[in-house]
Amino acid sequence: MEQEIHNALASNYGLSGTLEPLAGYEDLNFRLSTSTGEFVVKISKPGQEDNIAMQCKVMDVLASSSVAKLIPGQIRSIDGNAYERVQLSGENRLVRVIPWLKGDLLAHSARSPELFRHFGSVLGEIDRNLQEANLWHARKDPYEWDLQMAHHSLRYLRFIEDAAVRRITHYFLARFEELCLPAFIDLPKSVIHSDANDYNVVIQDSKVSGVFDFGDAVYAPRICEIAIALAYGLMGQDEIIELAEAMVSGYHGSLPMKPEEIDILYYLIAARLAVTIAKAAHARHQNPENAYLLVSEAPARTLIQKWVEINPIHFTSRMRQRLGMETGQVDADRQDRDRYVNPSLSIAYSEPIEMKGAAFQYMYAADGTTYLDCVNNICHVGHCHPDVARAGSRQMAQLNTNTRYVYDSLNRYSKHLAGKFPDPLEVVYLVNSGSEAGDLAQRIARTITGKRAVAVVDHAYHGNTLAGIEVSPYKYKSRGGTGKAPHVMELPSPSTYSDLEISKSEEELAHAIDQQGEIAALYCESIVGCGGQVVLPEGYLKGMYRVTRDAGGLCIADEVQVGFGRVGETFWAFELQGVVPDIVVIGKPMGNGHPMAAVVTTRPIADAFDNGMEYFSSFGGNPVSCEIGNAVLRVIENEKLQQHAKEVGEYFKSRLADLARSHPIISDVRGHGLFLGVELTAERAPATQLTRELIEYMKSQGILLSSDGPDNNVLKIKPPMTFNRSNVDTVIAGIDAFLKSI
Ligand code: PMP
């Protein structure tokens, strides 16, 4: 083949010299060294003629423009053509010859705001000239590198093996569809280079000295030009905002932009990274050998994971500010909340946070801060997980009805959920909140046993309904509470027992039942959450269940906070205790924030409860909720989040234990997986005030934590399950810094 190329160059261009192969995405590229100079020889695949002709036109326009010095002109063939048709190995190919640009590739150059400003101004000049030439460039088929087509890469997600990268890639492609696609229609467009990546830009003396390869040029919203340049230009960089500001201001100087263009830039940059990652994963699958296809993959993965930590409001307002545009923030009206919203609600922090958005373990506040969420066990698989959000919106647009009709999602979800429980737990009642589920669980227990009394542990919380408050010492003993109801048996918090004293707790329960004369149910969380992240002593539930059952009562496990793989070792926290409850109450994480909860029980109990009174919930089990619930289970499985919780949780616990060694104020570190508690005690007394200060300090560092327990001196750690090791390091550094400062 090489000899054929030599012959073709000699006969068509009168050029001869040495050929050295260069990397190329699809074309065959060579560096040609001759006695008169150096050139790039590009040999295109057949069937590219329209595109090549267009590239030549673009380069011709620029060759006589304000950026002529920066754009390599085409070397004309002997016949005066910009390209020639040749036969290579029996195939029709197109050959072009382009002068070799001197300088270093941007890929190998140091990046600075000055350089990026110049880079931006060059891209602005290119686009201005192309716009003035009134060029039009379309491709016949959807071209996946055209940023307008980013959503076509959704189909490659399944080839991305790393779960964290896959979900973030999905998230940004979905955001692209929702936010960028509908915005395009009103944005200024032009033919743009469309691939000013760091291997297509040459630098000399800290300035852009050349831009080449117009093979991706396309008619598109102009903002795509710098979005693409930044997606590559920011790889491996720390000063992301500063470099982006410089690029934007340089471009704006050459070709002024509109605020609406700036407003989607954050998502366009992310979309380009997402396309790069998705297509690389697909390309590796198709053709494991071609390394050039993958040059940008690793840095794109790193950058997209960093990108999700950047608050889009912050990014956008910094860009707008830099261009002298209004930042246009409107704060939520606190007066309306004070006037119209239920005053019994509390607000976290001395200075409330106004939230605008979230992605996985990150939350975006209106003031531009990104918060690392260490408390939200509801958005279990991550805030706004695209699999869940899309399952819900698809079904909402298709059918939302109630359980009096037959539809597949109810059966499929119930089966999927029941499959997560050990035998004989297999019948599912779908409801709308943990409180409602707890209420139903109590009603089932009362109906089956014909008794009313319920045993609970001190400081427990089980729900906000009438029946829920009655079994929640956390509420009835605290401000506004009216005390324990006569049918409630209150047992000491298991935190007061050591392993050796378990028999004492059993005796206490037996004694309480004796006094009460009956028991309908023991109602207990598998790790006591609001009571202060209290891990039950080994064997505790086994003994308590035995005493309850011996007295004719049923055992209800409240898994509202701890279920769905959070504890790592097992899917349900009751499994840590080696027991099988009669009734399980689940909620919070079930719909990843969509309000859904359930009671799960055995066939005999469900049949006995079915005494003729219909159980109906307007919303419980509706198709939208079922699709969402199913998506949550699938994400837990596909992303192996239970195993992830185990690994990250163990790491977290060991780092906290290290911290406890250097800060004696940490009196206990406990929990399983990503359900941890850190107790703070000063001079043998609960460090309540200090805990509050620590939480405020952490907020100032962009970290959301909360406290609980009878004395509010236990830090609750129960983040979205996507929480990673680097997030752990951030939290540890924050706690350490605070404790050192006191
Ligand atoms: N049980 C436990 C253990 C809980 O933590 C909660 C909520 N904090 C509930 C029940 C009540 O759930 P919901 O708020 O969904 O009604």
Side-chain angles (χ1 to χ4, degrees), residues 408-463:
D408 186 44
S409 22
L410 174 64
N411 313 339
R412 214 161 11 95
Y413 178 54
S414 300
K415 180 177 173 186
H416 198 173
L417 184 61
K420 296 290 178 193
F421 286 87
D423 289 339
L425 295 166
E426 62 177 26
V427 185
V428 176
Y429 296 74
L430 293 170
V431 298
N432 316 290
S433 72
S435 301
E436 193 187 346
D439 202 299
L440 175 61
Q442 284 198 62
R443 193 150 71 82
I444 293 174
R446 287 190 199 178
T447 307
I448 305 287
T449 61
K451 307 280 191 284
R452 182 155 188 227
V454 177
V456 297
V457 303
D458 204 1
H459 308 300
Y461 177 65
H462 294 295

Short mmCIF file of all heavy atoms in Angstrom, two decimals, residues 408-463:
data_model
loop_
_atom_site.label_atom_id
_atom_site.label_comp_id
_atom_site.label_asym_id
_atom_site.label_seq_id
_atom_site.Cartn_x
_atom_site.Cartn_y
_atom_site.Cartn_z
N ASP A 408 -49.12 -4.76 34.19
CA ASP A 408 -47.95 -5.60 34.41
C ASP A 408 -47.01 -5.03 35.46
O ASP A 408 -46.41 -5.77 36.24
CB ASP A 408 -47.23 -5.77 33.07
CG ASP A 408 -46.09 -6.76 33.19
OD1 ASP A 408 -46.30 -7.81 33.81
OD2 ASP A 408 -45.00 -6.46 32.68
N SER A 409 -46.86 -3.69 35.51
CA SER A 409 -45.82 -3.16 36.40
C SER A 409 -46.05 -3.53 37.86
O SER A 409 -45.09 -3.75 38.60
CB SER A 409 -45.66 -1.65 36.23
OG SER A 409 -46.79 -1.05 35.71
N LEU A 410 -47.30 -3.61 38.28
CA LEU A 410 -47.61 -3.97 39.67
C LEU A 410 -47.12 -5.39 39.99
O LEU A 410 -46.46 -5.62 41.00
CB LEU A 410 -49.12 -3.86 39.92
CG LEU A 410 -49.61 -4.34 41.29
CD1 LEU A 410 -49.03 -3.48 42.41
CD2 LEU A 410 -51.14 -4.31 41.35
N ASN A 411 -47.44 -6.31 39.09
CA ASN A 411 -47.07 -7.70 39.33
C ASN A 411 -45.55 -7.88 39.26
O ASN A 411 -44.94 -8.55 40.09
CB ASN A 411 -47.74 -8.61 38.29
CG ASN A 411 -49.22 -8.29 38.13
OD1 ASN A 411 -49.81 -7.68 39.02
ND2 ASN A 411 -49.79 -8.66 37.00
N ARG A 412 -44.98 -7.22 38.25
CA ARG A 412 -43.53 -7.36 38.05
C ARG A 412 -42.77 -6.78 39.25
O ARG A 412 -41.84 -7.39 39.77
CB ARG A 412 -43.14 -6.63 36.76
CG ARG A 412 -42.02 -7.28 36.04
CD ARG A 412 -41.90 -6.86 34.56
NE ARG A 412 -42.71 -5.74 34.17
CZ ARG A 412 -42.30 -4.47 34.13
NH1 ARG A 412 -41.07 -4.17 34.47
NH2 ARG A 412 -43.11 -3.51 33.74
N TYR A 413 -43.21 -5.60 39.69
CA TYR A 413 -42.49 -4.99 40.80
C TYR A 413 -42.68 -5.78 42.09
O TYR A 413 -41.72 -6.03 42.83
CB TYR A 413 -42.94 -3.54 41.01
CG TYR A 413 -42.22 -2.91 42.20
CD1 TYR A 413 -40.83 -2.93 42.27
CD2 TYR A 413 -42.93 -2.35 43.26
CE1 TYR A 413 -40.16 -2.39 43.35
CE2 TYR A 413 -42.27 -1.81 44.35
CZ TYR A 413 -40.88 -1.83 44.39
OH TYR A 413 -40.21 -1.31 45.47
N SER A 414 -43.92 -6.22 42.35
CA SER A 414 -44.17 -6.96 43.59
C SER A 414 -43.31 -8.23 43.63
O SER A 414 -42.74 -8.58 44.66
CB SER A 414 -45.65 -7.31 43.70
OG SER A 414 -46.42 -6.13 43.69
N LYS A 415 -43.22 -8.88 42.47
CA LYS A 415 -42.41 -10.10 42.41
C LYS A 415 -40.93 -9.78 42.64
O LYS A 415 -40.24 -10.47 43.40
CB LYS A 415 -42.60 -10.75 41.04
CG LYS A 415 -41.82 -12.03 40.84
CD LYS A 415 -42.11 -12.65 39.49
CE LYS A 415 -41.19 -13.84 39.26
NZ LYS A 415 -41.34 -14.39 37.92
N HIS A 416 -40.47 -8.72 41.98
CA HIS A 416 -39.07 -8.32 42.11
C HIS A 416 -38.73 -8.01 43.58
O HIS A 416 -37.73 -8.45 44.12
CB HIS A 416 -38.83 -7.09 41.22
CG HIS A 416 -37.39 -6.81 40.92
ND1 HIS A 416 -36.99 -5.83 40.03
CD2 HIS A 416 -36.24 -7.35 41.39
CE1 HIS A 416 -35.68 -5.80 39.98
NE2 HIS A 416 -35.20 -6.71 40.79
N LEU A 417 -39.64 -7.25 44.20
CA LEU A 417 -39.42 -6.84 45.59
C LEU A 417 -39.48 -8.05 46.53
O LEU A 417 -38.61 -8.23 47.39
CB LEU A 417 -40.46 -5.79 45.98
CG LEU A 417 -40.33 -5.19 47.38
CD1 LEU A 417 -38.99 -4.44 47.52
CD2 LEU A 417 -41.48 -4.22 47.66
N ALA A 418 -40.50 -8.88 46.34
CA ALA A 418 -40.66 -10.05 47.21
C ALA A 418 -39.42 -10.95 47.11
O ALA A 418 -39.00 -11.55 48.11
CB ALA A 418 -41.92 -10.82 46.83
N GLY A 419 -38.84 -10.99 45.92
CA GLY A 419 -37.64 -11.81 45.71
C GLY A 419 -36.45 -11.36 46.52
O GLY A 419 -35.46 -12.09 46.67
N LYS A 420 -36.51 -10.17 47.07
CA LYS A 420 -35.40 -9.66 47.88
C LYS A 420 -35.50 -10.13 49.34
O LYS A 420 -34.62 -9.85 50.13
CB LYS A 420 -35.40 -8.13 47.86
CG LYS A 420 -35.16 -7.53 46.48
CD LYS A 420 -33.72 -7.75 46.07
CE LYS A 420 -33.46 -7.20 44.69
NZ LYS A 420 -32.18 -7.69 44.16
N PHE A 421 -36.62 -10.79 49.69
CA PHE A 421 -36.84 -11.18 51.08
C PHE A 421 -36.63 -12.68 51.27
O PHE A 421 -36.90 -13.47 50.37
CB PHE A 421 -38.27 -10.83 51.51
CG PHE A 421 -38.47 -9.36 51.73
CD1 PHE A 421 -38.80 -8.52 50.68
CD2 PHE A 421 -38.28 -8.81 53.00
CE1 PHE A 421 -38.95 -7.16 50.88
CE2 PHE A 421 -38.42 -7.45 53.20
CZ PHE A 421 -38.77 -6.62 52.15
N PRO A 422 -36.17 -13.06 52.46
CA PRO A 422 -36.07 -14.49 52.74
C PRO A 422 -37.46 -15.10 52.91
O PRO A 422 -38.40 -14.39 53.27
CB PRO A 422 -35.30 -14.51 54.07
CG PRO A 422 -35.57 -13.20 54.73
CD PRO A 422 -35.75 -12.22 53.60
N ASP A 423 -37.57 -16.39 52.65
CA ASP A 423 -38.84 -17.09 52.91
C ASP A 423 -39.16 -17.00 54.39
O ASP A 423 -38.24 -16.98 55.20
CB ASP A 423 -38.71 -18.57 52.51
CG ASP A 423 -38.63 -18.72 51.00
OD1 ASP A 423 -39.07 -17.79 50.30
OD2 ASP A 423 -38.12 -19.75 50.53
N PRO A 424 -40.38 -16.97 54.78
CA PRO A 424 -41.60 -17.02 53.97
C PRO A 424 -42.19 -15.65 53.69
O PRO A 424 -43.38 -15.54 53.42
CB PRO A 424 -42.53 -17.84 54.86
CG PRO A 424 -42.15 -17.42 56.27
CD PRO A 424 -40.69 -17.05 56.23
N LEU A 425 -41.37 -14.59 53.72
CA LEU A 425 -41.89 -13.24 53.44
C LEU A 425 -42.09 -13.11 51.94
O LEU A 425 -41.11 -13.22 51.17
CB LEU A 425 -40.91 -12.18 53.95
CG LEU A 425 -40.73 -12.14 55.47
CD1 LEU A 425 -39.51 -11.32 55.85
CD2 LEU A 425 -41.99 -11.59 56.14
N GLU A 426 -43.31 -12.92 51.49
CA GLU A 426 -43.53 -12.93 50.04
C GLU A 426 -44.73 -12.13 49.57
O GLU A 426 -44.96 -12.02 48.38
CB GLU A 426 -43.67 -14.38 49.55
CG GLU A 426 -44.88 -15.10 50.16
CD GLU A 426 -45.06 -16.51 49.61
OE1 GLU A 426 -44.07 -17.10 49.18
OE2 GLU A 426 -46.21 -16.98 49.60
N VAL A 427 -45.51 -11.56 50.47
CA VAL A 427 -46.69 -10.82 50.02
C VAL A 427 -46.47 -9.33 50.28
O VAL A 427 -46.05 -8.93 51.36
CB VAL A 427 -47.97 -11.30 50.74
CG1 VAL A 427 -49.19 -10.60 50.14
CG2 VAL A 427 -48.11 -12.81 50.61
N VAL A 428 -46.77 -8.52 49.25
CA VAL A 428 -46.41 -7.10 49.29
C VAL A 428 -47.67 -6.22 49.30
O VAL A 428 -48.58 -6.42 48.50
CB VAL A 428 -45.56 -6.76 48.04
CG1 VAL A 428 -45.25 -5.28 47.98
CG2 VAL A 428 -44.28 -7.58 48.00
N TYR A 429 -47.72 -5.27 50.23
CA TYR A 429 -48.75 -4.22 50.24
C TYR A 429 -48.05 -2.91 49.90
O TYR A 429 -47.17 -2.48 50.65
CB TYR A 429 -49.37 -4.06 51.63
CG TYR A 429 -50.12 -5.27 52.14
CD1 TYR A 429 -49.44 -6.41 52.57
CD2 TYR A 429 -51.50 -5.24 52.23
CE1 TYR A 429 -50.13 -7.51 53.06
CE2 TYR A 429 -52.21 -6.34 52.73
CZ TYR A 429 -51.52 -7.48 53.13
OH TYR A 429 -52.20 -8.56 53.61
N LEU A 430 -48.44 -2.28 48.81
CA LEU A 430 -47.76 -1.05 48.41
C LEU A 430 -48.54 0.17 48.90
O LEU A 430 -49.75 0.29 48.66
CB LEU A 430 -47.60 -1.00 46.89
CG LEU A 430 -46.63 -2.08 46.35
CD1 LEU A 430 -46.70 -2.15 44.83
CD2 LEU A 430 -45.20 -1.82 46.79
N VAL A 431 -47.85 1.06 49.59
CA VAL A 431 -48.46 2.28 50.14
C VAL A 431 -47.56 3.47 49.82
O VAL A 431 -46.68 3.37 48.95
CB VAL A 431 -48.72 2.13 51.66
CG1 VAL A 431 -49.70 1.00 51.93
CG2 VAL A 431 -47.41 1.89 52.41
N ASN A 432 -47.78 4.59 50.50
CA ASN A 432 -47.15 5.84 50.06
C ASN A 432 -46.15 6.47 51.02
O ASN A 432 -45.50 7.43 50.67
CB ASN A 432 -48.24 6.87 49.75
CG ASN A 432 -49.37 6.24 48.98
OD1 ASN A 432 -49.19 5.89 47.83
ND2 ASN A 432 -50.50 6.06 49.62
N SER A 433 -46.08 5.98 52.23
CA SER A 433 -45.08 6.53 53.15
C SER A 433 -44.76 5.50 54.21
O SER A 433 -45.56 4.57 54.45
CB SER A 433 -45.62 7.79 53.83
OG SER A 433 -46.62 7.45 54.78
N GLY A 434 -43.62 5.67 54.83
CA GLY A 434 -43.22 4.77 55.90
C GLY A 434 -44.25 4.77 57.02
O GLY A 434 -44.54 3.73 57.62
N SER A 435 -44.81 5.95 57.28
CA SER A 435 -45.80 6.05 58.35
C SER A 435 -47.04 5.23 58.01
O SER A 435 -47.59 4.52 58.86
CB SER A 435 -46.22 7.52 58.53
OG SER A 435 -45.09 8.30 58.85
N GLU A 436 -47.47 5.34 56.77
CA GLU A 436 -48.66 4.60 56.35
C GLU A 436 -48.40 3.09 56.42
O GLU A 436 -49.26 2.32 56.84
CB GLU A 436 -49.04 5.02 54.93
CG GLU A 436 -50.41 4.58 54.50
CD GLU A 436 -50.68 4.88 53.02
OE1 GLU A 436 -49.93 5.66 52.41
OE2 GLU A 436 -51.65 4.31 52.50
N ALA A 437 -47.18 2.70 56.02
CA ALA A 437 -46.83 1.28 56.08
C ALA A 437 -46.81 0.80 57.52
O ALA A 437 -47.31 -0.29 57.84
CB ALA A 437 -45.47 1.06 55.41
N GLY A 438 -46.24 1.63 58.41
CA GLY A 438 -46.17 1.26 59.82
C GLY A 438 -47.56 1.13 60.42
O GLY A 438 -47.85 0.23 61.23
N ASP A 439 -48.42 2.04 60.02
CA ASP A 439 -49.81 2.02 60.48
C ASP A 439 -50.48 0.72 60.06
O ASP A 439 -51.13 0.03 60.85
CB ASP A 439 -50.50 3.24 59.82
CG ASP A 439 -51.73 3.67 60.56
OD1 ASP A 439 -52.65 2.84 60.65
OD2 ASP A 439 -51.77 4.82 61.03
N LEU A 440 -50.28 0.37 58.79
CA LEU A 440 -50.87 -0.86 58.27
C LEU A 440 -50.29 -2.08 58.97
O LEU A 440 -51.02 -3.03 59.30
CB LEU A 440 -50.64 -0.94 56.75
CG LEU A 440 -51.08 -2.23 56.05
CD1 LEU A 440 -52.58 -2.46 56.21
CD2 LEU A 440 -50.71 -2.19 54.56
N ALA A 441 -48.98 -2.05 59.21
CA ALA A 441 -48.34 -3.19 59.89
C ALA A 441 -48.98 -3.40 61.26
O ALA A 441 -49.26 -4.53 61.67
CB ALA A 441 -46.84 -2.93 60.03
N GLN A 442 -49.22 -2.30 61.98
CA GLN A 442 -49.86 -2.42 63.30
C GLN A 442 -51.27 -2.96 63.16
O GLN A 442 -51.72 -3.77 63.97
CB GLN A 442 -49.94 -1.04 63.97
CG GLN A 442 -48.62 -0.55 64.53
CD GLN A 442 -48.87 0.56 65.54
OE1 GLN A 442 -49.52 0.35 66.55
NE2 GLN A 442 -48.35 1.75 65.24
N ARG A 443 -51.97 -2.50 62.15
CA ARG A 443 -53.34 -2.94 61.96
C ARG A 443 -53.38 -4.44 61.65
O ARG A 443 -54.24 -5.17 62.15
CB ARG A 443 -54.00 -2.13 60.83
CG ARG A 443 -55.51 -2.29 60.76
CD ARG A 443 -56.17 -1.05 60.21
NE ARG A 443 -55.95 -0.82 58.80
CZ ARG A 443 -56.65 -1.42 57.83
NH1 ARG A 443 -57.60 -2.28 58.12
NH2 ARG A 443 -56.41 -1.13 56.57
N ILE A 444 -52.44 -4.88 60.81
CA ILE A 444 -52.38 -6.32 60.49
C ILE A 444 -52.13 -7.11 61.78
O ILE A 444 -52.82 -8.09 62.06
CB ILE A 444 -51.27 -6.60 59.44
CG1 ILE A 444 -51.64 -5.97 58.09
CG2 ILE A 444 -51.04 -8.09 59.30
CD1 ILE A 444 -50.56 -6.07 57.03
N ALA A 445 -51.16 -6.64 62.57
CA ALA A 445 -50.81 -7.38 63.80
C ALA A 445 -52.00 -7.43 64.75
O ALA A 445 -52.30 -8.47 65.34
CB ALA A 445 -49.61 -6.71 64.47
N ARG A 446 -52.71 -6.34 64.86
CA ARG A 446 -53.87 -6.32 65.76
C ARG A 446 -54.97 -7.25 65.25
O ARG A 446 -55.61 -7.96 66.01
CB ARG A 446 -54.44 -4.91 65.86
CG ARG A 446 -53.57 -3.97 66.68
CD ARG A 446 -54.36 -2.71 66.89
NE ARG A 446 -53.52 -1.59 67.28
CZ ARG A 446 -53.99 -0.37 67.49
NH1 ARG A 446 -55.25 -0.10 67.32
NH2 ARG A 446 -53.17 0.59 67.85
N THR A 447 -55.20 -7.21 63.94
CA THR A 447 -56.26 -8.04 63.36
C THR A 447 -55.95 -9.52 63.56
O THR A 447 -56.82 -10.31 63.92
CB THR A 447 -56.40 -7.73 61.85
OG1 THR A 447 -56.58 -6.33 61.69
CG2 THR A 447 -57.58 -8.47 61.23
N ILE A 448 -54.69 -9.88 63.30
CA ILE A 448 -54.32 -11.30 63.38
C ILE A 448 -54.38 -11.79 64.83
O ILE A 448 -54.88 -12.88 65.10
CB ILE A 448 -52.88 -11.50 62.85
CG1 ILE A 448 -52.72 -10.95 61.44
CG2 ILE A 448 -52.44 -12.96 62.95
CD1 ILE A 448 -53.37 -11.74 60.38
N THR A 449 -53.81 -10.98 65.75
CA THR A 449 -53.68 -11.47 67.13
C THR A 449 -54.93 -11.16 67.96
O THR A 449 -55.11 -11.74 69.03
CB THR A 449 -52.48 -10.80 67.83
OG1 THR A 449 -52.71 -9.37 67.87
CG2 THR A 449 -51.17 -11.09 67.09
N GLY A 450 -55.73 -10.24 67.48
CA GLY A 450 -56.87 -9.82 68.29
C GLY A 450 -56.44 -9.02 69.51
O GLY A 450 -57.22 -8.75 70.42
N LYS A 451 -55.17 -8.60 69.54
CA LYS A 451 -54.64 -7.83 70.68
C LYS A 451 -54.24 -6.43 70.20
O LYS A 451 -54.20 -6.16 69.00
CB LYS A 451 -53.41 -8.54 71.26
CG LYS A 451 -53.63 -9.99 71.62
CD LYS A 451 -54.32 -10.12 72.97
CE LYS A 451 -54.31 -11.54 73.49
NZ LYS A 451 -55.29 -12.40 72.81
N ARG A 452 -53.90 -5.56 71.15
CA ARG A 452 -53.60 -4.20 70.77
C ARG A 452 -52.18 -3.74 71.16
O ARG A 452 -51.60 -2.86 70.54
CB ARG A 452 -54.63 -3.29 71.45
CG ARG A 452 -54.45 -1.84 71.10
CD ARG A 452 -55.71 -1.04 71.23
NE ARG A 452 -55.45 0.29 70.69
CZ ARG A 452 -55.78 1.41 71.30
NH1 ARG A 452 -56.42 1.39 72.45
NH2 ARG A 452 -55.49 2.57 70.74
N ALA A 453 -51.64 -4.33 72.23
CA ALA A 453 -50.40 -3.79 72.82
C ALA A 453 -49.20 -3.96 71.88
O ALA A 453 -49.04 -4.99 71.22
CB ALA A 453 -50.13 -4.49 74.14
N VAL A 454 -48.37 -2.91 71.84
CA VAL A 454 -47.18 -2.93 70.99
C VAL A 454 -45.96 -2.58 71.84
O VAL A 454 -46.00 -1.63 72.63
CB VAL A 454 -47.31 -1.91 69.83
CG1 VAL A 454 -46.04 -1.87 69.00
CG2 VAL A 454 -48.49 -2.26 68.94
N ALA A 455 -44.90 -3.38 71.70
CA ALA A 455 -43.65 -3.08 72.42
C ALA A 455 -42.69 -2.36 71.49
O ALA A 455 -42.51 -2.77 70.33
CB ALA A 455 -43.03 -4.38 72.92
N VAL A 456 -42.11 -1.27 71.97
CA VAL A 456 -41.14 -0.49 71.17
C VAL A 456 -39.93 -0.17 72.04
O VAL A 456 -40.02 -0.25 73.27
CB VAL A 456 -41.76 0.84 70.67
CG1 VAL A 456 -42.92 0.58 69.73
CG2 VAL A 456 -42.19 1.73 71.82
N VAL A 457 -38.82 0.19 71.39
CA VAL A 457 -37.65 0.56 72.19
C VAL A 457 -37.61 2.08 72.35
O VAL A 457 -38.11 2.83 71.51
CB VAL A 457 -36.32 0.04 71.59
CG1 VAL A 457 -36.37 -1.48 71.43
CG2 VAL A 457 -36.01 0.71 70.28
N ASP A 458 -37.02 2.49 73.44
CA ASP A 458 -36.96 3.90 73.77
C ASP A 458 -36.26 4.70 72.66
O ASP A 458 -35.33 4.19 72.03
CB ASP A 458 -36.20 4.08 75.10
CG ASP A 458 -36.59 5.39 75.78
OD1 ASP A 458 -37.43 6.12 75.22
OD2 ASP A 458 -36.04 5.67 76.86
N HIS A 459 -36.71 5.90 72.44
CA HIS A 459 -36.16 6.84 71.46
C HIS A 459 -36.46 6.47 70.01
O HIS A 459 -36.00 7.14 69.09
CB HIS A 459 -34.64 7.03 71.61
CG HIS A 459 -34.23 7.38 73.01
ND1 HIS A 459 -34.68 8.50 73.65
CD2 HIS A 459 -33.42 6.73 73.89
CE1 HIS A 459 -34.17 8.53 74.87
NE2 HIS A 459 -33.41 7.47 75.05
N ALA A 460 -37.24 5.41 69.81
CA ALA A 460 -37.50 5.00 68.43
C ALA A 460 -38.51 5.93 67.77
O ALA A 460 -39.34 6.56 68.44
CB ALA A 460 -38.04 3.58 68.41
N TYR A 461 -38.43 6.01 66.44
CA TYR A 461 -39.41 6.74 65.64
C TYR A 461 -39.97 5.80 64.58
O TYR A 461 -39.20 5.13 63.88
CB TYR A 461 -38.79 7.96 64.96
CG TYR A 461 -39.78 8.69 64.07
CD1 TYR A 461 -40.90 9.30 64.62
CD2 TYR A 461 -39.61 8.73 62.68
CE1 TYR A 461 -41.83 9.94 63.81
CE2 TYR A 461 -40.53 9.37 61.87
CZ TYR A 461 -41.64 9.98 62.44
OH TYR A 461 -42.57 10.61 61.65
N HIS A 462 -41.30 5.74 64.49
CA HIS A 462 -41.91 4.85 63.50
C HIS A 462 -42.92 5.54 62.60
O HIS A 462 -43.51 4.88 61.75
CB HIS A 462 -42.56 3.65 64.20
CG HIS A 462 -41.58 2.74 64.88
ND1 HIS A 462 -40.65 2.01 64.20
CD2 HIS A 462 -41.38 2.48 66.20
CE1 HIS A 462 -39.91 1.30 65.06
NE2 HIS A 462 -40.34 1.58 66.28
N GLY A 463 -43.19 6.82 62.80
CA GLY A 463 -44.11 7.44 61.85
C GLY A 463 -44.92 8.59 62.42
O GLY A 463 -44.97 8.80 63.63
#
